[in-house]
Amino acid sequence: MRTIGYFILFLIPFLSFAQEVKVVDKETGKPINNVTVFTEKLYFNSSTNSKGIVDISPVKAQDILIFSHISYALKSIEKGTIKNEKFTVYLTKQSEQLDEVVLSVFKGDAKTNRVAERVAVLTSKDIEKLSPQTSADLLAAIPGIKVQKSQMGGGSPVIRGMESNRVLLVIDGVRMNNAIYRKGHLQNAITVAPNQLDKTEIVFGPSSVIYGSDALGGVIHYYTKTPKIAENTKVTTSFFNRYSSINNEITNNASVEIGTKKWASFTSVSYSDFGDLKMGKNRSHGFNDWGKVFEYSENSNNFYAATATVNPDENIQRNTGYNQTDLLQKFFIPLSEKTDLKLNFQYSTSSDIPRFDRLDEKSGETLKFAEWYYGPQQRLLISPQLNINPEKSWVDKGTFTLAYQNIKESRIQRKLESLERSYREENVDVFSFNGDFMVPVTKNENKAFTYGFEFLYNDVSSDAYGRTLVVSGNDIIGFSDNLTVQSRYPDGGSSYVSSAAYLGYRQDLNTKSTLNTGVRFTRTNLSASWIDQTIIILPETSIRLDNSAFTATVGYVYKPTKNLQLNTVLSSGFRSPNIDDVGRIREKSGNVTVPNIYLKPEFAYSAEIGVQKYFNNRKFRIGFNTYYTLLEHYIVRDDFSLNGTSTNEGQLLIDDEMGNIVANQNRGNAYIYGYTASYQGKLSEYISTNGFVTYTKGRTYDTEEPLSSIPPFFGQFDINYTNKKFQLGTSFRFNSKKDISDFNFTEGIDNHDLTPVVNENAVEDVAKYYGSPSWVTLGFNSSFTFNKNWKLQGMISNLFDQHFREFASGISAPGRNFSFSLITVF
């Protein structure tokens, strides 16, 4: 009997240990301190220690435990289930309860029920289900975002009538926008592979307090995958393979994650090869030849053809194919319990990318260009990031982000029947240093300050030259003469510096309301110099522009009931002119854009109201957001006077083209207003649905013209069935007509001349062109999970093979597409 007693005493410490639960971050594998753990019946309440451990011995096996932390989504789990999970609980930033989703985009974790701004989140599961060919296609699935394309290798997101350098792109806390992000259409959103993303978060409306210049329409923040540490060394290998019929796309991705106690590594390589894109055949809009490609240029870097080639299939858009390679290497190293280091290396490169809309451009009855393509688009990012949790009175937690980026762009063009080829090459080096910190005023963090700083330096070099081809038959065998070509940006070099500091304050006024406020001061310095003035003589060959601005935001969240949330936001933003705004020289469509050294910042003042109504234990949400934005001193490209010569008095010769003189200029005031109505969530255990409609209108007050980049009314509705192994979904997309009278003719950004022609003899464009026709598409997607190692996906998009073009695009959208993906994990 005594032996049995000793045996029981021996087991007691082990039984006690077995009741200890470790709570860790699912993304990194690190223990989480100060997680409140309590039972649903409220007879037990405790919290985790610095090692993430909590003793749950008093809790009955069948009872529900709730894990709560300000930086993570609420998690409820039965104690018996915890035992099956080896007494480890993983907390994430996502939750079925939609008001519990934790956002990182505000540079300090914040749950959606405390955020007044309209936000959208795509998780890794969403990205996997959407299976987009590029990250620009991924953005097109987000409620309220429209994506313009000039060629297949690109995608320019439009948020609330703002585009290109009025929308800020960020990746892993590092600003992607640089000094040559232009006004018009940008293609840089594709320089990260969707398969390497962990999530994407979007903030709608001016966000200059947190992010500074450029964040007028909103912020798109890509987050790449991060490796996690493990108690025992763990190696996970995954593969993604996809084929799409519409452009014979083949995408292959291989990833390896290594997790140990002291460090973790994630390596991912993605390669995509895209063939020429086929448009839809069903022309329900009634324009039988609109968008068809009857002839194309076969010219390439080594092949010469003096004339255009007849296209045997006019629905195939020749000169749209390209390939892209993306590399991601990340290390996660916990230096101590309160300090983590992330090392982030990213590299993206492509083949030459044909500029389809220019290659399809006509001069009289034949093609204008033999060659017009972007050289390989290269993006390099090297970024160490230090996360600290000192829990001091002046900083509770914070992040230091140091980054170096190198961006290379080039443009090569040659006219049909000409032997003169021009090259324009740009190189941008970007150095940045950010610090973002949070200090709670109270222990429960219902009052907290955030503060931070940012320093950014852009160094831009621009070169241009020309060569005369030497041909033998159809072969290009060399070059003869060197040609003088006007550089796109200042050939003497240019730089752009931005320095800023911000302060924010959040307070839960009571259990039903939260106030968010913030202010930021930003100063920018731009310098540039021109050397060669053979083609264009400028009034100043060396310039320096200094600008500064205060921006502020006030957001208020009110929850009168558990299932109703009312939001209101007042915010201001600004965009300081960059090198592209001030110093670009180029010819397009009969206009020559020249530098304007007197350009000033443009400002945005916005008011927003939102309503969120929750159902089904907050697993289903209906939302409505409406806003009004006033643009002050807005920048527009319009007729200009250079050295006393105006558009009406003379033209400039560039690239053998006489063009009207235009430049970016400040005007008076303009407005943009609109709304998005949306719904999202679960209808039952197996059925979920989401959908949205978006309306936008924008005009100038001074000239009463429509603003550029204002999309027509559009929307999307999805419904999905999901069980443990099988998923089936359908998606309905629509786009209403945009009348030609609602296009902006002055800047040419809306590409009104690429819409259907209704009267070739008309003098005025408003009578000559139709505008953007309406369209609808229907698609299906499905997946089957064989086991934890194998998963098969299938997708049919544009089922009825409709022909359409997204607003302002220079390329027709894909026709009926069959896509198949295989996902393997070992």
Side-chain angles (χ1 to χ4, degrees), residues 207-508:
S207 301
S208 289
V209 166
I210 300 175
Y211 289 98
S213 180
D214 301 346
L216 297 186
V219 176
I220 297 170
H221 200 144
Y222 295 125
Y223 295 88
T224 59
K225 294 178 179 177
T226 297
K228 53 183 174 287
I229 57 175
E231 288 293 324
N232 301 308
T233 300
K234 183 179 181 181
V235 179
T236 304
T237 304
S238 60
F239 300 92
F240 177 89
N241 310 94
R242 181 180 59 225
Y243 171 77
S244 299
S245 63
I246 199 64
N247 53 0
N248 290 316
E249 175 230 9
I250 296 176
T251 289
N252 295 302
N253 176 270
S255 301
V256 178
E257 182 177 352
I258 303 172
T260 71
K261 281 186 177 181
K262 295 185 177 181
W263 61 273
S265 169
F266 180 76
T267 306
S268 179
V269 180
S270 182
Y271 175 79
S272 295
D273 185 82
F274 305 97
D276 288 332
L277 181 66
K278 190 170 186 178
M279 68 185 81
K281 291 183 179 179
N282 185 2
R283 298 173 170 271
S284 57
H285 48 59
F287 301 101
N288 294 329
D289 291 335
W290 178 49
K292 286 184 176 179
V293 181
F294 295 102
E295 57 180 358
Y296 67 100
S297 170
E298 285 191 281
N299 286 270
S300 67
N301 192 43
N302 300 309
F303 183 82
Y304 176 81
T307 58
T309 302
V310 175
N311 189 0
D313 187 344
E314 63 270 14
N315 288 310
I316 295 180
Q317 299 171 99
R318 307 288 178 179
N319 293 316
T320 52
Y322 73 103
N323 63 66
Q324 181 171 320
T325 302
D326 296 279
L327 171 66
L328 170 65
Q329 174 62 61
K330 246 184 183 180
F331 292 101
F332 176 70
I333 306 170
L335 301 178
S336 69
E337 287 184 1
K338 297 183 178 182
T339 308
D340 303 329
L341 176 65
K342 291 181 183 178
L343 299 175
N344 193 349
F345 176 88
Q346 300 174 24
Y347 180 69
S348 177
T349 187
S350 70
S351 65
D352 293 337
I353 300 179
R355 176 71 186 263
F356 174 78
D357 60 340
R358 302 305 300 270
L359 286 168
D360 198 43
E361 189 177 336
K362 294 291 184 70
S363 177
E365 296 298 321
T366 189
L367 296 179
K368 181 176 181 178
F369 291 102
E371 300 175 70
W372 210 122
Y373 54 89
Y374 296 106
Q377 183 169 266
Q378 299 178 13
R379 180 182 67 88
L380 169 68
L381 169 67
I382 301 172
S383 175
Q385 187 177 79
L386 189 68
N387 296 312
I388 60 173
N389 294 272
E391 298 178 353
K392 302 292 185 181
S393 58
W394 54 277
V395 56
D396 180 68
K397 57 184 176 181
T399 302
F400 292 99
T401 304
L402 185 67
Y404 166 73
Q405 297 179 82
N406 177 256
I407 298 94
K408 287 183 170 66
E409 296 181 0
S410 58
R411 294 164 176 81
I412 298 93
Q413 64 186 73
R414 178 172 63 84
K415 290 185 178 179
L416 198 66
E417 300 181 359
S418 172
L419 296 176
E420 297 181 350
R421 179 191 287 168
S422 66
Y423 301 80
R424 290 179 172 87
E425 299 174 348
E426 277 69 57
N427 183 87
V428 185
D429 291 306
V430 185
F431 302 87
S432 62
F433 184 42
N434 296 68
D436 303 287
F437 313 99
M438 192 274 282
V439 180
V441 179
T442 55
K443 189 174 181 180
N444 60 4
E445 297 190 14
N446 63 357
K447 298 178 183 179
F449 282 103
T450 56
Y451 63 96
F453 64 86
E454 177 187 64
F455 176 79
L456 191 73
Y457 174 77
N458 287 248
D459 182 73
V460 181
S461 61
S462 183
D463 189 23
Y465 57 93
R467 298 285 188 269
T468 300
L469 306 184
V470 177
V471 301
S472 176
N474 293 120
D475 296 323
I476 299 173
I477 60 175
F479 304 96
S480 58
D481 301 333
N482 293 330
L483 306 172
T484 300
V485 176
Q486 176 64 53
S487 63
R488 183 177 177 88
Y489 300 115
D491 57 343
S494 53
S495 65
Y496 181 85
V497 180
S498 174
S499 52
Y502 73 89
L503 175 66
Y505 177 70
R506 185 197 69 239
Q507 178 178 346
D508 294 332

Side-chain angles (χ1 to χ4, degrees), residues 156 420 664 804:
S156 186
E420 297 181 350
N664 288 321
F804 67 97

